[in-house]
Amino acid sequence: MGFFNKAVDKMVNERVPLRKRKRLIVFIAIITLLSMTTATVAWFTVNTFVGVDTLDVHISVSAQLKVAMDDYGTDLDKYTKVITNDMIDEYLADYDTSLEDTVLDPVTTTEGTTFTNQRGTVRESNNRSYLEFECYFIATEDMWVHLTTESTESGNDDGTKVSTDSTGAQADVVNCTRVDFSTETNGTAIYEPNKTTAVNGQTTFDLPSGTMVYSNNTRIFHLDQLTPTKVTIRLWIDGEDPQCDDDVQEADLSVQLGFIGCDENNQPIS
């Protein structure tokens, strides 16, 4: 690098008039800065379009909380404790696709509702871009709903985790995954597993790696007693994440989401 700098200095001194040198040096500095900046952004190679496939999604809820793919009013018997891949596939049938056919090509977002690809083109959900589906939560009492890494029932291993069976560099797919949750009253909360430096102006949250601690940061939406609330869930891999590069293409991805209800003091409701 020192040899290169000396060569540039010699070229500037010998061939460029003094009055133009400052502009040239500034131009070289700008080029250097741009190359350093773009090196931190890692998208798939443009035009490869081989995204993340073999997607598995599982949702479970804790006591006093139920969920369904449709609004059944206050008929609690029609709500369940889990949402399975088959239930999501029924929803995706309206898009002529399924989880098995879903491919997550990299996209990015600022607020978690509008997504663009590397060229800045707006991408539609469930079309080689990001997964989106709606479900309805209902509770037997007022509560704040949090994501949890704890099992929702004793003996179940159904707490929140984002994992992969892929190995090597492909395993980095878990670090560029995002999941968000939107409601009309509480806006959008973005979960970033293994959170590092925020990208593209996103405000995200992570869950503790050890004992689960509930706080305002882990709240995602509020439920009023016996009032079904529509929640839009979106899952994507973020192209602005430094680990979202060609190495994670064709990786497997498993997303397990566990929800728990807490009171206004963030204490779990049993």
Side-chain angles (χ1 to χ4, degrees):
M1 191 69 178
F3 174 79
F4 174 77
N5 290 335
K6 290 179 181 178
V8 171
D9 290 343
K10 182 178 180 181
M11 177 191 73
V12 170
N13 291 331
E14 291 181 354
R15 300 185 181 181
V16 182
L18 178 61
R19 60 189 176 84
K20 294 184 180 180
R21 287 179 194 167
K22 288 186 179 180
R23 282 185 293 176
L24 179 59
I25 292 171
V26 169
F27 177 72
I28 292 173
I30 291 173
I31 291 296
T32 303
L33 178 60
L34 286 175
S35 66
M36 291 172 61
T37 302
T38 56
T40 65
V41 179
W43 290 75
F44 289 178
T45 302
V46 174
N47 292 328
T48 55
F49 298 115
V50 183
V52 174
D53 54 16
T54 315
L55 179 64
D56 180 53
V57 180
H58 180 82
I59 294 176
S60 56
V61 297
S62 65
Q64 315 301 330
L65 187 60
K66 300 186 86 173
V67 65
M69 297 299 292
D70 295 290
D71 182 352
Y72 294 115
T74 58
D75 188 351
L76 295 179
D77 290 339
K78 291 186 177 180
Y79 294 85
T80 68
K81 303 297 287 184
V82 297
I83 288 179
T84 64
N85 282 3
D86 288 342
M87 296 165 70
I88 296 174
D89 279 344
E90 289 185 20
Y91 178 91
L92 294 177
D94 290 339
Y95 294 85
D96 295 322
T97 189
S98 66
L99 281 175
E100 184 179 8
D101 296 328
T102 296
V103 175
L104 299 178
D105 281 328
V107 292
T108 193
T109 181
T110 300
E111 78 299 331
T113 57
T114 301
F115 295 80
T116 58
N117 63 11
Q118 188 175 5
R119 301 183 184 88
T121 303
V122 174
R123 298 291 290 162
E124 299 299 325
S125 61
N126 306 321
N127 182 20
R128 295 191 68 90
S129 51
Y130 62 99
L131 174 68
E132 178 182 289
F133 60 93
E134 298 171 352
C135 54
Y136 291 81
F137 285 77
I138 191 169
T140 54
E141 57 186 284
D142 291 356
M143 63 174 61
W144 282 99
V145 177
H146 300 241
L147 275 185
T148 181
T149 57
E150 297 179 331
S151 297
T152 60
E153 289 186 13
S154 178
N156 291 347
D157 181 19
D158 57 3
T160 298
K161 65 177 71 173
V162 177
S163 58
T164 180
D165 290 330
S166 300
T167 58
Q170 274 190 326
D172 286 340
V173 67
V174 300
N175 298 320
C176 48
T177 301
R178 306 284 190 277
V179 187
D180 76 28
F181 312 89
S182 295
T183 64
E184 290 185 0
T185 56
N186 297 116
T188 300
I190 304 176
Y191 167 49
E192 179 182 350
N194 308 308
K195 179 180 177 179
T196 54
T197 303
V199 300
N200 203 23
Q202 295 172 8
T203 300
T204 64
F205 72 95
D206 197 1
L207 300 177
S209 57
T211 302
M212 186 68 209
V213 177
Y214 302 101
S215 67
N216 289 356
N217 290 334
T218 59
R219 289 178 174 179
I220 49 180
F221 54 87
H222 186 268
L223 294 179
D224 294 330
Q225 183 180 31
L226 294 178
T227 303
T229 297
K230 183 173 75 172
V231 180
T232 302
I233 298 177
R234 305 177 187 89
L235 187 154
W236 73 98
I237 51 170
D238 203 293
E240 293 285 341
D241 191 291
Q243 296 188 73
C244 183
D245 54 25
D246 288 353
D247 289 337
V248 302
Q249 293 186 90
E250 299 185 85
D252 299 329
L253 184 63
S254 178
V255 178
Q256 185 168 283
L257 302 173
F259 298 87
I260 190 171
C262 293
D263 62 22
E264 61 183 8
N265 297 314
N266 299 317
Q267 296 301 308
I269 298 172
S270 58

